[in-house]
Amino acid sequence: MDLVRHLQYFVAVAEHRHFGRAATTLGLTQPPVSQGLRRLETHLGLRLIERARDGAMVTAEGAALLPRARLIIEDSRRFLDDAADLLGALHVLRWGATPQLDDEVVARCVDGLRRAMTPAGAPVRTVTADTVQLVSDVRRGVLQLAVVEHPTLVDGVIAGPVVTLNRSVVLPAGHRAAKAKSPRAQMLSDLELATVPREANPAGYDLLLDSLRRRGLDVVIRPAATHRDVSAAVASGGCFGMATGGAPVHTGTVHRRMLVDEVAMRVRIVATAGLDLDHLVYAVDRELLRASR
């Protein structure tokens, strides 16, 4: 039985006190309304309306249930309205990026998304947050998609393939590793590592530290969420950090290609389940692949 539809029949008859007028307001003829109300009463085992030759009267049981019936109908309308709003929200895309991506990569992704949106050129809203927060926001539908660090837990979302982005090691300009012709990992032993804190993505954090330990580096972490934070920490002389290819080289810092496999950044696109976002995921994936070359 279509409960909401039959409740609409009940409410209409109760309000108009007449089957014919109720049917007119519903855009129906009288027989379907009368039959539907009888099915509802049979299902409930209660008489809701007393039928009379000149109209209809609400019974005591019907009067008691009438407010609840109105609420159910109104909630169903709100549910459909909210669904329509969510569908319409795709005309304003909300997406996120981990702060470890440089500004140029993010800008390319935004441009690709804007061109892939329907209608073309629809607004794109960008959120920068750590990987754990981004996955949570995509899972809850706050964001439609995001670029996050790999590995990380991706339960409850659609996860795309992993893309590897090369990163340089950011060094203080006067440091021995910055001046060496062939810098070695052990040269960084007197520096702290400026990088995102563990809570931003525990799996990725642990993997990075394990990789550096295998190269003889047991580093102390100085939290640095963005490339600006990394550059400021490195320029102070006591840290090294990492930067993707499009990140600018700031005063007091040097970018060197070393520890290539250890510091490479692996990312993937996560998207909200149940939405048709393939064309948008493709647009971002294309820009990430370009940045990886």
Side-chain angles (χ1 to χ4, degrees), residues 8 10 20 45 63 82 94 99 103 124 144 148 151 160 175 190 196 254 261 264:
Q8 289 173 330
F10 166 49
D82 288 347
R94 298 183 302 273
D103 293 346
V124 177
Q144 276 78 54
V148 302
H175 192 267
D190 60 334
V196 294
V254 173
D261 291 335

Side-chain angles (χ1 to χ4, degrees), residues 97-112:
T98 171
Q100 294 159 283
L101 289 178
D102 63 73
D103 293 346
E104 179 61 24
V105 171
V106 173
R108 289 179 181 179
C109 290
V110 172
D111 182 63

